[in-house]
Amino acid sequence: DIVMTQSPDSLAVSLGERATINCKSSQSVLYSSSNENYLAWYQQKPGQPPKLLIYWASTRESGVPDRFSGSGSGTDFTLTISSLQAEDVAVYYCQQYYGTPYTFGQGTKLEIK
Amino acid sequence: QITLKESGPTLVKPTQTLTLTCTFSGFSLSASAEGVGWIRQPPGKALEWLALIYWDDDKRYSPSLKSRLTITKDTSKNQVVLIMTNMYPVDTATYYCAHRTYTSGPFDYWGQGTLVTVSS
């Protein structure tokens, strides 16, 4: 199984400041033939299902604000929120879909400082 | 617009079998590349992928739970069913179904989830 490890487990950031969440996979999720990273980021607010934010490591899902961006390749990835808004308080998960079993990170809880 | 909704019992006893149904709209599981998966989340914990079925009846299971899981589809009813045998209290979780396209990658649409509690 590909193990996904996020850091930090929790994060407190002031409104308007940058938030950065990291995700590391135990093996590469870069598919060489397509040069795509099979990595997604989700946002989950209390009592709600996860919401897809980013896929292919850096492609924003339709309707997702451009303050959310994803970067990285191979085994190391980052989700960045450029200017934190109050509505961004949530738990964020990375997920690899390179191969089964599809695995998620343990989650990073983002709060307002 | 794609929507999915989970249904099933909210309470099961230990050793019983859980049957969950995902009813969806906005796509057809007879169309090429379409898939529906199940993911669960114990209270306060992370997400865990369980199973996935594709339009061509290709089925994938979590290796750690494979012996307990069965996933099937009923294309005419736009439904996917997940059966999990021998339920334990540790299986208490919110169970989600979600849409995935074989070529596009992640789970892009999710149901609201259904909380299943395992307790005597």
Side-chain angles (χ1 to χ4, degrees):
Chain A
D1 297 7
I2 299 176
V3 177
M4 308 299 290
T5 304
Q6 292 180 226
S7 61
D9 290 334
S10 64
L11 181 63
V13 174
S14 300
L15 289 172
E17 296 299 304
R18 178 186 299 260
T20 301
I21 299 170
N22 301 301
C23 175
K24 188 174 185 67
S25 57
S26 62
Q27 64 188 72
S28 176
V29 297
L30 174 63
Y31 192 49
S32 55
S33 63
S34 63
N35 201 35
E36 294 280 12
N37 288 282
Y38 283 52
L39 188 285
W41 289 96
Y42 299 87
Q43 174 193 65
Q44 188 178 32
K45 297 181 179 180
Q48 296 184 18
K51 173 189 174 183
L52 178 64
L53 296 176
I54 303 282
Y55 57 99
W56 302 130
S58 60
T59 301
R60 246 186 328 270
E61 176 74 331
S62 175
V64 173
D66 60 7
R67 64 180 181 272
F68 291 91
S69 64
S71 63
S73 184
T75 61
D76 292 279
F77 302 91
T78 301
L79 175 69
T80 301
I81 307 172
S82 60
S83 177
L84 189 70
Q85 305 299 303
E87 61 265 32
D88 300 334
V89 169
V91 178
Y92 292 83
Y93 294 94
C94 62
Q95 181 227 339
Q96 65 80 18
Y97 47 96
Y98 183 87
T100 57
Y102 304 120
T103 45
F104 294 84
Q106 81 276 18
T108 295
K109 186 175 184 179
L110 177 59
E111 299 173 313
I112 305 294
K113 185 187 292 182
Chain B
Q1 180 190 1
I2 290 176
T3 64
L4 304 100
K5 186 174 183 179
E6 306 85 354
S7 59
T10 57
L11 179 66
V12 298
K13 289 180 167 47
T15 75
Q16 285 188 336
T17 294
L18 172 68
T19 300
L20 293 173
T21 300
C22 176
T23 303
F24 57 86
S25 63
F27 68 98
S28 172
L29 255 185
S30 60
S32 180
E34 298 289 6
V36 172
W38 287 92
I39 302 101
R40 71 178 179 180
Q41 184 174 39
K45 296 188 177 181
L47 299 158
E48 179 186 19
W49 171 75
L50 303 175
L52 181 62
I53 190 166
Y54 288 111
W55 83 104
D56 59 356
D57 213 37
D58 181 14
K59 302 170 185 177
R60 310 289 175 91
Y61 295 100
S62 169
S64 64
L65 293 166
K66 185 175 182 178
S67 63
R68 300 172 54 203
L69 294 174
T70 303
I71 190 169
T72 61
K73 61 181 175 69
D74 186 331
T75 304
S76 65
K77 293 183 179 179
N78 280 352
Q79 290 181 335
V80 170
V81 173
L82 182 73
I83 298 171
M84 181 179 289
T85 60
N86 230 350
M87 293 290 284
Y88 299 100
V90 293
D91 296 313
T92 293
T94 296
Y95 287 75
Y96 296 100
C97 62
H99 170 265
R100 178 178 193 249
T101 302
Y102 185 80
T103 52
S104 72
F107 294 105
D108 50 4
Y109 296 90
W110 295 61
Q112 284 298 308
T114 184
L115 175 61
V116 178
T117 301
V118 184
S119 175
S120 55

